[in-house]
């Protein structure tokens, strides 16, 4: 039972990250390969803000023993500030592959600096010590803690999903998709492509801050072996498989990819003396998933849903109904039949 | 409105990699008229459009739009001032419905604030619904009602052009630059486009049409600006150009539909 | 001062290896218009092939040759089974997919050979002084091979029919095809060439570093891209110059700070290049207008 709770909790946390990517890439079209950097930064910060001062030989910054919710909040704010700088610089003039490579370069540099420069987050050994945060305050014992974390993660996931869903159905969301499809046309009609992308970027980065905070509570400790920039591909796989732009699809895709692969590799025979076989196979499958979906089903299992206009005579009170998953010709015929010439 | 100059282009220059694409281009467009911009291939017409609309900074020159200088401003700022341009190929937003494509043409910038997506969405949607009525009429006038809920990527080339015009009509700009609107368009559709242009002018907008189809220019435009080799070589009513030796030699054989 | 000579000397060796890897990458980009993020794996596969052959035959020459041959085959396979299948898709899609391919190739190697670093030691020869520089015989050969490849490539591109066809396809594939150039064949042969060079680069890198692993080609990828971008994506001669500049800059920077930061410096250079000179150091600022 504990195992199930753990898996679902982690899937919830990854789904929050995936929703952030959904805003940045799924709806806005910016292929950010550095996203895991924000997550890692937030996780590190949450831990070092909540921990007490560093005891030699361990070194890290802060160590301010703040209450956990405050640490998460500050970590998120810091991460959004970093994102604001990165976004301002990278989104201004870089698009597509240049943006992807720049973010990859930036996060790779961050990875090395974090691992080598020990005064920051204790270098390669990493930081630890975040043990069941808020547990004593709320009177939750060791046995019940994982239920609490599951509930907390689920609640934040629902809140984040609500935000993304609202954005998706709003004029702002429509503008984001237009920017994704054709930028010059958007500029020709009076909207600033940069500012539109920038806002979406900041919101998406803020989700990584929250997810990082939860991740810190989930793991309790963090070091460079716990994260590699390339793991962002697993998140992209979830978004791609589920359906980019579709909130429920993204969550479903992330759950399937994460839980499915964890379960799959659990039951695989492990080669004796070859401990890396199962994890490597998992990565191979993720890579295959990405390639196959990009080639044959780039819209994902649950494609983006278009809002359909159903009112048809002038002066009528209008309604915008959430359309079906794909616009089938017969459905278009149906709305035409509703009294037009 | 009569006599006012909508667009005043002065001495634009730009070179790319040593090649002078626009070499001292100057012309004026009077308000509430339709003006054609013609010239042989490579004359610099599209580049001049990019310079005027802000998509490319010039090396030198100035552009005034109803008195406001444009050079140095971003494309979206210029568009907000009232100058909208199209591109040589239809640039529809493929994953949006036709309806959404035209809705995005409306000058409803404040509704697109991110904060409104979370708080106040209900009020925004009511405002949108009011505009939706007008947009439906627009779509109807362009015969697009049947496809209004299709993703724009599924339309034919001609339908995409119509969506562009519906979008322009929704934006109701003071000035529209049409970059080769007749590309790949059949004559019936061409008439519809011509009528749309005339309607824009009748409503007070100024239209500049870059085109190779000279018969279309003759039918629709009040006057014509001729560019060759990055410069304006003639300006005036279309009929006067046929006798202009510079214009004839610039085209040299291209003017078979005169 | 002697230290400076040593650093630059090492820089030349790095630059030579970088040049090989980068010119192959740029050839791939030139004909297929995609940044192949699985390019590092061509080096890795070459290194593995060389290592296996050397282990069984003891011959360095056979090892180098097999690295080139297997690399070439891998290049062709990448093009035929992967790149061409994505040719109708947007460039960004192919980029993401190539990341997936990289993931697959690296981990298949892990599954077969394990993730551990393998040592690859061959006789380097004694170091000799050449003016202010110090090189071993192996290092000299590495630099020589890079120069030979550069010259051969120049000759190929300028004077052979294939070279002209390659340049035509790189310029405009459809136009080339319409002019009678067998574009598909040219592209496949270019990937063969790129794979040969990249596979050989993998062998050279492995024996120069003395060790390799399934991920070592991928860790060389970003530096390769930095060199390519510095010289201009898709421009072979520029890439060669870019490789020299980046190789030297890396070594000099690495000698003034902790050498563990070397990769981070390379990545910082990549970011700076992307922001300031995306068209290469040799081109102008580019006239991109920010929308």
């Amino acid at each position: 039972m504990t195992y199930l709770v753990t898996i679902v909790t982690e899937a919830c946390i990854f789904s929050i990250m995936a929703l952030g990517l959904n805003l940045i890439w799924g709806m806005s079209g910016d292929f950010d390969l550095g996203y895991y950097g924000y997550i890692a930064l937030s996780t590190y910060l949450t831990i070092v803000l909540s921990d007490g001062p560093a005891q030699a030989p361990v070194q890290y910054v802060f160590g301010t023993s703040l209450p956990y919710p405050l640490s998460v909040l500050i970590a998120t704010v810091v991460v959004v500030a970093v994102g604001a700088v990165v976004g301002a610089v990278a989104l201004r003039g870089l698009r597509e592959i240049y943006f992807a490579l720049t973010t990859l370069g930036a996060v790779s540099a961050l990875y090395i600096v974090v691992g080598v420069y020990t005064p920051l987050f204790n270098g390669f050994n990493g930081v630890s010590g975040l043990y069941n945060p808020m547990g004593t305050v709320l009177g939750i014992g060791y046995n019940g803690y994982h239920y609490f974390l599951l509930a907390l993660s689920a609640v934040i996931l629902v809140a984040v999903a609500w935000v993304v869903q609202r954005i998706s159905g709003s004029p702002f969301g429509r503008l984001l998709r237009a920017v994704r499809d054709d930028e010059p046309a958007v500029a020709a009609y009076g909207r600033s492509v940069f500012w539109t992308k920038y806002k979406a970027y900041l919101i998406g980065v803020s989700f990584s801050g929250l997810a990082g905070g939860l991740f810190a509570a989930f793991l309790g400790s963090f070091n460079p072996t716990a994260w590699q920039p390339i793991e962002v591909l697993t998140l992209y796989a979830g978004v791609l498989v589920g359906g980019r732009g579709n909130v429920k699809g993204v969550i479903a895709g992330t759950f399937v990819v994460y839980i499915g692969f964890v379960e799959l590799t659990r039951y695989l025979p492990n080669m004796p003396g070859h401990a890396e076989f199962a994890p490597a196979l998992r990565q191979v499958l993720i890579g295959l998933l990405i390639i196959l979906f990009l080639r044959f089903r780039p819209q994902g299992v649950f494609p983006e849903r278009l809002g359909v206009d159903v009112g048809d005579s002038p002066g009528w009170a209008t309604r915008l109904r959430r359309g079906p998953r794909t616009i089938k010709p017969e459905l278009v015929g149906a709305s035409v039949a509703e009294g037009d010439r | 409105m009569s006599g006012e100059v909508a667009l005043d282009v002065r001495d634009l220059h730009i070179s790319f990699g040593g090649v002078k694409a626009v070499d001292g281009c100057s012309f004026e467009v009077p308000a509430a008229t339709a003006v054609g911009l013609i010239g042989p291939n490579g004359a610099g017409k599209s580049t001049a459009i990019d310079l005027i609309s802000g998509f490319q900074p010039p090396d030198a020159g100035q552009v005034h739009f109803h008195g406001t200088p444009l050079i140095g401003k971003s494309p979206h700022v210029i568009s907000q001032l009232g100058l909208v341009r199209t591109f040589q190929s239809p640039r529809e937003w493929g994953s949006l419905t036709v309806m959404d494509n035209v809705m995005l043409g409306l000058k409803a910038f404040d509704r697109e604030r991110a904060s409104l997506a979370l708080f106040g969405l209900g009020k925004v949607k009511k405002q949108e619904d009011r505009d939706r009525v007008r947009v439906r009429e627009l779509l109807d006038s362009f015969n697009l009602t049947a496809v209004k809920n299709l993703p724009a990527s599924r339309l034919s080339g001609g339908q995409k052009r119509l969506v562009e015009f519906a979008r322009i009509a929704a934006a109701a700009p003071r000035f529209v630059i049409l970059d080769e609107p007749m590309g790949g368009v059949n004559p019936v559709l061409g008439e519809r486009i011509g009528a749309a242009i005339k309607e824009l002018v009748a409503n007070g907008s100024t239209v500049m049409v870059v085109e190779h189809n000279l018969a279309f220019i003759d039918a629709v435009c009040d006057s014509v600006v001729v560019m060759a080799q990055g410069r304006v070589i003639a300006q005036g009513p279309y009929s006067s150009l046929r006798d202009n030796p510079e214009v004839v030699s610039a085209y040299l054989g291209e003017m078979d539909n005169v | 001062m002697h230290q400076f000579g040593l650093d630059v000397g090492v820089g030349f060796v790095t630059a030579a290896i970088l040049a090989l890897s980068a010119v192959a990458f740029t050839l791939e980009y030139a004909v297929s218009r995609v940044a192949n993020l699985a390019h590092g794996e061509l080096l890795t596969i070459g290194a593995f092939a060389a290592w296996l052959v050397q282990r069984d035959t003891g011959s360095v020459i056979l090892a180098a040759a097999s690295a080139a041959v297997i690399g070439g085959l891998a290049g062709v396979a990448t093009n035929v089974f992967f790149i061409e299948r994505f040719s109708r898709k947007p460039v960004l899609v192919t980029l993401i997919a190539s990341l997936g391919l990289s993931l697959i190739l690296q981990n298949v190697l892990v599954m077969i050979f394990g993730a551990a670093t393998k040592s690859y030691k061959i006789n380097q020869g004694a170091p000799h002084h050449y003016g202010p520089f110090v090189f071993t015989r192996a290092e000299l050969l590495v630099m020589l091979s890079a120069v030979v490849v550069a010259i051969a490539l120049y000759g190929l591109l300028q004077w052979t029919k294939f070279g002209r066809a390659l340049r035509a396809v790189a310029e405009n594939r459809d136009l080339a095809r319409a002019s009678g150039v067998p574009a598909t064949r040219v592209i496949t042969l270019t990937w063969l060439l790129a794979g040969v060079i990249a596979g050989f680069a993998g062998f050279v890198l492995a024996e120069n570093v003395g060790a390799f692993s399934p991920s070592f080609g991928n860790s060389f990828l970003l530096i390769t891209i930095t060199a390519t971008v510095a010289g201009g994506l898709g421009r072979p001669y520029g890439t060669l110059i870019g490789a020299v500049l980046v190789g030297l800059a890396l070594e000099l920077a690495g000698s003034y700070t902790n050498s563990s930061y070397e990769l981070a410096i390379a990545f910082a250079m990549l970011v700076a290049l992307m922001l300031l000179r995306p068209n290469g150091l040799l081109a102008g600022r580019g006239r991109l207008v920010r929308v």
Side-chain angles (χ1 to χ4, degrees), chain A residues 1-15 149-150 153-154 157 218 255 258-259:
Chain A
M1 188 57 192
T2 316
Y3 178 70
L4 189 65
V5 170
T6 310
I7 292 208
V8 174
T9 308
E10 199 165 9
C12 285
I13 298 177
F14 283 151
S15 295
L149 195 58
L150 172 64
S153 308
L157 175 61
F218 181 78
F255 265 75
Y258 176 69
I259 297 185

Short mmCIF file of all heavy atoms in Angstrom, two decimals, chain A residues 1-15 149-150 153-154 157 218 255 258-259:
data_model
loop_
_atom_site.label_atom_id
_atom_site.label_comp_id
_atom_site.label_asym_id
_atom_site.label_seq_id
_atom_site.Cartn_x
_atom_site.Cartn_y
_atom_site.Cartn_z
N MET A 1 0.83 -1.20 0.00
CA MET A 1 0.00 0.00 0.00
C MET A 1 0.87 1.26 0.00
O MET A 1 0.61 2.20 -0.71
CB MET A 1 -0.93 -0.03 1.24
CG MET A 1 -1.96 1.08 1.20
SD MET A 1 -2.94 0.98 -0.30
CE MET A 1 -3.79 2.54 -0.28
N THR A 2 1.88 1.20 0.88
CA THR A 2 2.81 2.32 0.92
C THR A 2 3.44 2.54 -0.45
O THR A 2 3.63 3.65 -0.89
CB THR A 2 3.94 2.05 1.94
OG1 THR A 2 3.34 1.51 3.11
CG2 THR A 2 4.70 3.31 2.26
N TYR A 3 3.76 1.44 -1.07
CA TYR A 3 4.37 1.52 -2.38
C TYR A 3 3.47 2.24 -3.36
O TYR A 3 3.91 3.13 -4.09
CB TYR A 3 4.69 0.10 -2.88
CG TYR A 3 5.28 0.09 -4.26
CD1 TYR A 3 6.56 0.57 -4.49
CD2 TYR A 3 4.54 -0.37 -5.34
CE1 TYR A 3 7.10 0.58 -5.75
CE2 TYR A 3 5.07 -0.36 -6.61
CZ TYR A 3 6.35 0.11 -6.81
OH TYR A 3 6.87 0.13 -8.07
N LEU A 4 2.21 1.89 -3.38
CA LEU A 4 1.27 2.53 -4.29
C LEU A 4 1.18 4.02 -4.00
O LEU A 4 1.19 4.85 -4.92
CB LEU A 4 -0.11 1.87 -4.12
CG LEU A 4 -1.15 2.28 -5.16
CD1 LEU A 4 -0.74 1.80 -6.54
CD2 LEU A 4 -2.52 1.68 -4.81
N VAL A 5 1.09 4.35 -2.72
CA VAL A 5 1.01 5.77 -2.34
C VAL A 5 2.24 6.51 -2.84
O VAL A 5 2.15 7.62 -3.38
CB VAL A 5 0.88 5.90 -0.81
CG1 VAL A 5 1.05 7.36 -0.39
CG2 VAL A 5 -0.45 5.37 -0.35
N THR A 6 3.40 5.89 -2.66
CA THR A 6 4.64 6.54 -3.10
C THR A 6 4.64 6.80 -4.59
O THR A 6 4.97 7.89 -5.06
CB THR A 6 5.85 5.65 -2.74
OG1 THR A 6 5.75 5.26 -1.39
CG2 THR A 6 7.14 6.40 -2.99
N ILE A 7 4.24 5.80 -5.34
CA ILE A 7 4.24 5.95 -6.81
C ILE A 7 3.27 7.04 -7.25
O ILE A 7 3.60 7.88 -8.09
CB ILE A 7 3.87 4.63 -7.50
CG1 ILE A 7 4.93 3.60 -7.31
CG2 ILE A 7 3.67 4.89 -8.96
CD1 ILE A 7 4.99 2.59 -8.40
N VAL A 8 2.09 7.01 -6.69
CA VAL A 8 1.10 8.00 -7.12
C VAL A 8 1.55 9.40 -6.72
O VAL A 8 1.37 10.36 -7.47
CB VAL A 8 -0.29 7.66 -6.53
CG1 VAL A 8 -1.28 8.76 -6.86
CG2 VAL A 8 -0.77 6.34 -7.07
N THR A 9 2.15 9.51 -5.53
CA THR A 9 2.65 10.83 -5.12
C THR A 9 3.68 11.34 -6.10
O THR A 9 3.64 12.49 -6.55
CB THR A 9 3.30 10.75 -3.72
OG1 THR A 9 2.40 10.14 -2.82
CG2 THR A 9 3.69 12.13 -3.23
N GLU A 10 4.64 10.47 -6.44
CA GLU A 10 5.67 10.92 -7.37
C GLU A 10 5.06 11.27 -8.72
O GLU A 10 5.48 12.23 -9.38
CB GLU A 10 6.75 9.85 -7.52
CG GLU A 10 8.03 10.44 -8.08
CD GLU A 10 9.23 9.52 -7.92
OE1 GLU A 10 9.04 8.35 -7.53
OE2 GLU A 10 10.34 9.97 -8.21
N ALA A 11 4.07 10.48 -9.16
CA ALA A 11 3.43 10.79 -10.43
C ALA A 11 2.73 12.14 -10.37
O ALA A 11 2.72 12.89 -11.35
CB ALA A 11 2.44 9.68 -10.79
N CYS A 12 2.13 12.45 -9.23
CA CYS A 12 1.49 13.77 -9.08
C CYS A 12 2.52 14.87 -9.21
O CYS A 12 2.31 15.88 -9.89
CB CYS A 12 0.80 13.88 -7.72
SG CYS A 12 -0.74 12.98 -7.59
N ILE A 13 3.66 14.70 -8.55
CA ILE A 13 4.69 15.73 -8.60
C ILE A 13 5.19 15.90 -10.04
O ILE A 13 5.35 17.02 -10.54
CB ILE A 13 5.86 15.36 -7.67
CG1 ILE A 13 5.37 15.30 -6.23
CG2 ILE A 13 6.99 16.37 -7.79
CD1 ILE A 13 6.42 14.86 -5.23
N PHE A 14 5.44 14.78 -10.73
CA PHE A 14 5.87 14.88 -12.11
C PHE A 14 4.81 15.52 -12.99
O PHE A 14 5.11 16.20 -13.95
CB PHE A 14 6.26 13.51 -12.65
CG PHE A 14 7.60 13.03 -12.18
CD1 PHE A 14 7.86 11.68 -12.06
CD2 PHE A 14 8.60 13.93 -11.87
CE1 PHE A 14 9.11 11.24 -11.62
CE2 PHE A 14 9.83 13.50 -11.43
CZ PHE A 14 10.09 12.15 -11.31
N SER A 15 3.55 15.27 -12.67
CA SER A 15 2.48 15.86 -13.47
C SER A 15 2.48 17.38 -13.33
O SER A 15 2.19 18.09 -14.30
CB SER A 15 1.12 15.30 -13.05
OG SER A 15 1.07 13.92 -13.32
N LEU A 149 1.60 13.60 2.35
CA LEU A 149 2.31 14.12 1.19
C LEU A 149 1.53 13.85 -0.09
O LEU A 149 1.49 14.67 -1.01
CB LEU A 149 3.71 13.50 1.12
CG LEU A 149 4.68 14.22 0.18
CD1 LEU A 149 4.85 15.67 0.59
CD2 LEU A 149 6.04 13.52 0.18
N LEU A 150 0.91 12.71 -0.17
CA LEU A 150 0.08 12.39 -1.33
C LEU A 150 -1.05 13.40 -1.45
O LEU A 150 -1.30 13.95 -2.53
CB LEU A 150 -0.48 10.98 -1.22
CG LEU A 150 -1.52 10.60 -2.30
CD1 LEU A 150 -0.90 10.62 -3.68
CD2 LEU A 150 -2.12 9.22 -2.00
N SER A 153 0.34 16.80 -2.51
CA SER A 153 0.71 16.81 -3.92
C SER A 153 -0.53 16.81 -4.80
O SER A 153 -0.57 17.51 -5.82
CB SER A 153 1.57 15.58 -4.25
OG SER A 153 2.65 15.49 -3.37
N ALA A 154 -1.51 16.03 -4.43
CA ALA A 154 -2.72 15.96 -5.25
C ALA A 154 -3.45 17.31 -5.26
O ALA A 154 -3.92 17.76 -6.30
CB ALA A 154 -3.64 14.86 -4.72
N LEU A 157 -1.58 19.64 -7.42
CA LEU A 157 -1.78 19.23 -8.81
C LEU A 157 -3.12 19.74 -9.33
O LEU A 157 -3.22 20.28 -10.43
CB LEU A 157 -1.69 17.71 -8.95
CG LEU A 157 -2.01 17.16 -10.34
CD1 LEU A 157 -1.03 17.70 -11.38
CD2 LEU A 157 -1.97 15.63 -10.34
N PHE A 218 9.48 14.89 -0.73
CA PHE A 218 9.33 13.49 -1.12
C PHE A 218 10.65 12.74 -0.96
O PHE A 218 10.69 11.62 -0.48
CB PHE A 218 8.86 13.44 -2.57
CG PHE A 218 8.65 12.07 -3.12
CD1 PHE A 218 7.50 11.35 -2.79
CD2 PHE A 218 9.57 11.48 -3.96
CE1 PHE A 218 7.29 10.07 -3.29
CE2 PHE A 218 9.37 10.21 -4.47
CZ PHE A 218 8.23 9.50 -4.13
N PHE A 255 1.25 10.11 -15.91
CA PHE A 255 0.99 8.96 -15.04
C PHE A 255 1.34 7.67 -15.75
O PHE A 255 2.01 6.79 -15.21
CB PHE A 255 -0.49 8.94 -14.62
CG PHE A 255 -0.73 9.60 -13.30
CD1 PHE A 255 -0.70 10.97 -13.17
CD2 PHE A 255 -0.97 8.84 -12.17
CE1 PHE A 255 -0.90 11.58 -11.94
CE2 PHE A 255 -1.19 9.44 -10.94
CZ PHE A 255 -1.15 10.81 -10.83
N TYR A 258 5.21 7.43 -16.38
CA TYR A 258 5.98 7.23 -15.16
C TYR A 258 5.62 5.90 -14.50
O TYR A 258 6.47 5.05 -14.26
CB TYR A 258 5.77 8.39 -14.19
CG TYR A 258 6.49 8.13 -12.92
CD1 TYR A 258 7.87 8.13 -12.88
CD2 TYR A 258 5.79 7.79 -11.76
CE1 TYR A 258 8.55 7.82 -11.72
CE2 TYR A 258 6.46 7.49 -10.61
CZ TYR A 258 7.84 7.50 -10.59
OH TYR A 258 8.50 7.18 -9.45
N ILE A 259 4.35 5.73 -14.17
CA ILE A 259 3.97 4.51 -13.44
C ILE A 259 4.19 3.30 -14.32
O ILE A 259 4.71 2.27 -13.88
CB ILE A 259 2.50 4.59 -12.98
CG1 ILE A 259 2.34 5.73 -12.00
CG2 ILE A 259 2.07 3.27 -12.36
CD1 ILE A 259 0.97 5.82 -11.38
#
